[in-house]
Amino acid sequence: MATQTEHSLQWYDYLVFGLVLAFSGGVGIFFAFRARRNTSQEEYLLASKQLTVGPIALSLLASFISAITLLGTPSEIYVYGTQYVWIGVSYFFVILAANEVFIPVFHRLRVNTSYQYLRLRFHKCVQIAGSISFCVQMVLYMGIVIYAPSLALSQVTGFNVWIAVASIGLVATFYTSIGGIKAVVWTDVFQIVMMLTGLVATLIRGIMVVGGFAAMWEKADQGRRIEFFNLSLDPTERHTVWTQIVANTFVWLSIYGINQTMVQRCLSLSSLRQIKIAYWINMPGLFLLMLTCSICGMTIFAAYGTCDPLLSGRITANDQLMPLFVMDYLHSFPPLPGIFVASVFSGALSTVSSGMNSLASVTVNDILDRALINYTEKKKTILCKIIVYGLTSLGFAVLASVMGPVLQAALGIFGMVGGPLLGVFTLGMFFRVANWKGAAAGHLVSQIFVFWIGFGYYVHGVQAPTKPMYTYNCTSDPEAGLNSSSTVGATTATSPATTAVPSEPYILPAYKVSYTWYAMYGWLTAILVGLVVSLLTRDKEAEKNIPRDYFTPMVRHFMKPTPEDIQRQMSQQKEQQELEFDKAVSILKQDRENNGKYEFEMAPAELPSQSATAETTNGWNSRL
């Protein structure tokens, strides 16, 4: 059933949408042309660590602030109220923990993927298990991300939803495959600008329509949408202060701390200081986007509070609220509807392209590294993206269409898969006693446990109580209904439609646990099971030889370096000297090409060390 609206996109709206797709593809072609002489895997997947803080910070923001955020957050506020906004507090703890606990270890070890750490610390089988879990997680998530904006477009234009699904998947696959991580990062920068433009335009016009911020807040309060201090300790409560701050810290830490999509961007920067700066820049962006989307949800309620679109039959799912609002109230301001649709698709493209790039990296480096040994590095990466993940994500978009509200589905997936993985990494970085048997057992048991709870929730169709909905002031013209004198929440004979959860058969209490707790439960189960099994299979002599570089800085501080630590440090110092040497050689080559006119552009600290003078003197002519 299509959304009942008299308005549709015009040619200029389609033009904006087409330009966004064309620009994204063009960026991929541009970087493919620039990197045509450098086909190394490091250049393709990590940009040879030459990216800068600004683009990476924006790319980090775009990767998981997608169409799900733009459509799901306003719907969440409209249906369940403002309790959700406490999630913004969790962002501070997430960035702090990621910067100080997990990212320093990956940077010090110079791994290509976060899951290579699991092989170094534990065993190849633990690495493969973690990599497969990540692949399942991202393919499911990408399916939701593709389906959500396709649904939005189909509802506002009547455009076939599955054609829209295919267009997102194919465009993202195209520019990601040919342009590598540079194309992904720079299209992310463009797409986050598009998302902000569409979101801010919608918010400003929406507040104007409902009579200003004060009127919007008053109507939301009358409709019982304003709720901030639910301190209940009941784990079955969908959202409380504790679920949003404590539980979501684990959800988002599984993303910012260990997820390859984020770690890969961090490893594209040359120093740990740059990585930390990028993360801290990212935090206020996360908060402001979440807050803006939440205010949009309140604005939508102020517009539709007396005539709920779902109960009145105008939409078929609450995730369609935002596009309906845009078409009802922004249609007279061309090309704002087109900008909004383009912003939603930009969110989808940024997330899908980021996911494809990281999935390719994990597949090549962690899963199929031996099977594809005769393939060139770039061919292996492109093959995995085009054949496996582009098509697989399109297939899982079908599954996404039956998973319920997109925001809850997305966070639920990250909790069910990310929580156990976060527990395995925590085992390795904090506990010397942990061994590969404990890590494997902890991962397996916690994964089964959380999947059992999560799938029980979805299979039994557990529904949380919503805020009250009303249909007593429905008119054929939404703006006319908005301008009437009816008060939201007024009691009339025909008014409020009930939203109470109907009586239902007995459901196991575990299935009623809020989806926000899945990550923490998985994390805790993995650690407890992992420690018990590790103690039962303990090898004290092997523990003494675990390099301290495998542990987080706060633990490593109290440990003595092993011979492997010393050898790794010497190797890294040698690599740094070689980089400095090659940089100096490149400057001398430039000087020779400029007819001997040479100007030093390097700072003294960047020049090769004097201890290497004898070696470098003999190497000048051979390299020049």
Side-chain angles (χ1 to χ4, degrees):
M1 176 180 176
T3 302
Q4 296 180 13
T5 179
E6 298 178 356
H7 312 291
S8 59
L9 296 182
Q10 302 301 314
W11 66 268
Y12 37 78
D13 297 314
Y14 286 106
L15 178 62
V16 172
F17 172 61
L19 288 174
V20 169
L21 295 182
F23 182 86
S24 299
V27 170
I29 295 173
F30 173 76
F31 282 106
F33 179 79
R34 284 192 61 181
R36 64 191 184 281
R37 296 180 181 178
N38 189 349
T39 58
S40 69
Q41 186 173 344
E42 184 179 21
E43 168 66 21
Y44 192 73
L45 296 177
L46 297 176
S48 299
K49 299 184 181 294
Q50 294 179 351
L51 292 175
T52 54
V53 170
I56 289 295
L58 292 175
S59 181
L60 288 169
L61 184 61
S63 295
F64 286 99
I65 300 298
S66 65
I68 289 176
T69 304
L70 299 180
L71 299 179
T73 305
S75 172
E76 169 68 33
I77 302 300
Y78 179 94
V79 177
Y80 296 102
T82 57
Q83 192 67 49
Y84 176 81
V85 300
W86 278 103
I87 194 174
V89 178
S90 72
Y91 297 156
F92 171 80
F93 299 106
V94 169
I95 300 300
L96 180 65
N99 269 342
E100 302 303 327
V101 176
F102 296 100
I103 298 301
V105 178
F106 300 138
H107 182 267
R108 177 179 288 270
L109 294 176
R110 299 189 178 184
V111 293
N112 289 325
T113 74
S114 55
Y115 307 102
Q116 286 181 344
Y117 168 82
L118 298 179
R119 175 177 57 83
L120 294 173
R121 176 65 176 86
F122 295 119
H123 192 274
K124 178 68 174 177
C125 70
V126 182
Q127 176 191 19
I128 293 177
S131 301
I132 292 176
S133 294
F134 166 76
C135 292
V136 172
Q137 176 191 44
M138 288 305 298
V139 169
L140 286 171
Y141 178 66
M142 288 159 59
I144 297 174
V145 168
I146 291 176
Y147 179 75
S150 302
L151 175 65
L153 183 62
S154 70
Q155 294 303 318
V156 297
T157 67
F159 192 73
N160 185 278
V161 63
W162 299 115
I163 294 178
V165 165
S167 67
I168 295 176
L170 293 176
V171 170
T173 301
F174 171 74
Y175 76 75
T176 305
S177 298
I178 67 172
I181 187 65
K182 286 184 178 179
V184 172
V185 168
W186 283 106
T187 50
D188 281 351
V189 173
F190 166 71
Q191 287 156 2
I192 196 66
V193 172
M194 285 301 304
M195 281 189 275
L196 287 171
T197 302
L199 189 62
V200 171
T202 302
L203 178 61
I204 293 174
R205 172 57 183 162
I207 291 179
M208 292 170 60
V209 164
V210 300
F213 187 87
M216 176 269 293
W217 187 277
E218 182 181 1
K219 291 181 179 181
D221 190 31
Q222 291 172 353
R224 290 188 274 174
R225 262 54 185 179
I226 307 300
E227 179 188 16
F228 290 112
F229 299 104
N230 183 348
L231 299 174
S232 172
L233 297 176
D234 182 359
T236 64
E237 285 265 5
R238 188 173 184 275
H239 285 166
T240 66
V241 171
W242 314 118
T243 64
Q244 298 310 96
I245 296 178
V246 179
N248 273 299
T249 294
F250 289 91
V251 175
W252 283 92
L253 188 56
S254 72
I255 297 172
Y256 274 81
I258 64 170
N259 189 286
Q260 173 61 16
T261 304
M262 298 308 224
V263 172
Q264 186 172 351
R265 278 154 181 70
C266 294
L267 298 178
S268 299
L269 295 171
S270 59
S271 70
L272 182 60
R273 180 175 177 272
Q274 287 181 314
I275 296 173
K276 291 184 177 183
I277 292 174
Y279 261 25
W280 284 117
I281 292 175
N282 180 255
M283 188 193 72
L286 271 176
F287 182 81
L288 290 175
L289 268 174
M290 180 276 299
L291 190 61
T292 304
C293 289
S294 298
I295 297 174
C296 282
M298 297 168 63
T299 304
I300 293 172
F301 179 78
Y304 296 123
T306 59
C307 184
D308 177 64
L310 183 63
L311 293 178
S312 63
R314 299 193 67 206
I315 59 175
T316 58
N318 283 315
D319 294 318
Q320 300 166 14
L321 282 166
M322 189 73 161
L324 176 67
F325 178 79
V326 168
M327 295 311 297
D328 277 348
Y329 295 103
L330 272 66
H331 66 274
S332 58
F333 293 85
L336 288 184
I339 292 175
F340 168 75
V341 173
S343 70
V344 174
F345 271 81
S346 294
L349 286 170
S350 65
T351 301
V352 172
S353 62
S354 301
M356 287 181 178
N357 197 269
S358 58
L359 283 166
S361 178
V362 168
T363 303
V364 170
N365 290 292
D366 298 339
I367 301 176
L368 301 179
D369 51 337
R370 295 180 181 177
L372 302 178
I373 193 171
N374 294 323
Y375 283 64
T376 64
E377 293 177 337
K378 188 171 182 178
K379 283 184 177 180
K380 288 186 291 186
T381 305
I382 296 176
L383 184 66
C384 289
K385 289 179 184 176
I386 294 177
I387 295 180
V388 182
Y389 296 112
L391 299 180
T392 305
S393 297
L394 296 180
F396 275 100
V398 179
L399 176 63
S401 65
V402 297
M403 292 189 71
V406 292
L407 185 65
Q408 178 174 322
L411 294 179
I413 288 172
F414 280 115
M416 285 189 283
V417 180
L421 273 176
L422 184 65
V424 175
F425 278 93
T426 304
L427 269 176
M429 295 184 186
F430 280 88
F431 302 98
R432 182 186 283 274
V433 70
N435 57 36
W436 75 268
K437 295 176 183 177
H443 188 196
L444 179 63
V445 173
S446 62
Q447 197 71 84
I448 293 173
F449 172 63
V450 180
F451 268 29
W452 167 63
I453 296 175
F455 281 112
Y457 182 97
Y458 284 105
V459 169
H460 288 278
V462 178
Q463 296 291 328
T466 67
K467 298 299 181 183
M469 307 292 180
Y470 305 94
T471 57
Y472 58 83
N473 191 34
C474 293
T475 65
S476 58
D477 183 359
E479 293 194 45
L482 181 64
N483 295 327
S484 70
S485 58
S486 300
T487 301
V488 178
T491 303
T492 70
T494 60
S495 124
T498 179
T499 57
V501 177
S503 60
E504 55 185 19
Y506 175 78
I507 298 177
L508 197 67
Y511 296 154
K512 297 182 180 180
V513 170
S514 172
Y515 71 96
T516 57
W517 292 109
Y518 295 163
M520 197 187 84
Y521 287 178
W523 172 80
L524 189 60
T525 303
I527 292 176
L528 293 178
V529 173
L531 287 177
V532 170
V533 174
S534 295
L535 288 171
L536 293 175
T537 59
R538 189 174 186 180
D539 185 345
K540 294 184 178 181
E541 289 301 318
E543 290 175 17
K544 296 178 181 178
N545 297 321
I546 300 175
R548 72 171 187 169
D549 283 351
Y550 294 171
F551 296 89
T552 193
M554 63 185 70
V555 175
R556 188 172 64 243
H557 180 73
F558 299 99
M559 302 172 66
K560 294 182 179 179
T562 65
E564 186 174 340
D565 290 320
I566 298 173
Q567 183 179 3
R568 180 181 292 104
Q569 185 176 5
M570 293 176 62
S571 175
Q572 291 176 354
Q573 290 176 346
K574 184 178 180 181
E575 289 178 8
Q576 184 63 31
Q577 287 181 352
E578 290 178 352
L579 288 173
E580 294 170 348
F581 180 80
D582 289 339
K583 190 173 182 179
V585 170
S586 66
I587 292 177
L588 288 179
K589 284 184 177 180
Q590 184 74 27
D591 173 53
R592 177 173 290 183
E593 293 174 359
N594 292 332
N595 300 321
K597 295 179 181 179
Y598 178 76
E599 293 182 4
F600 251 99
E601 298 180 356
M602 298 176 62
E606 294 177 319
L607 294 174
S609 59
Q610 294 183 357
S611 62
T613 301
E615 177 186 348
T616 57
T617 301
N618 295 329
W620 290 116
N621 291 330
S622 62
R623 299 213 179 185
L624 292 171

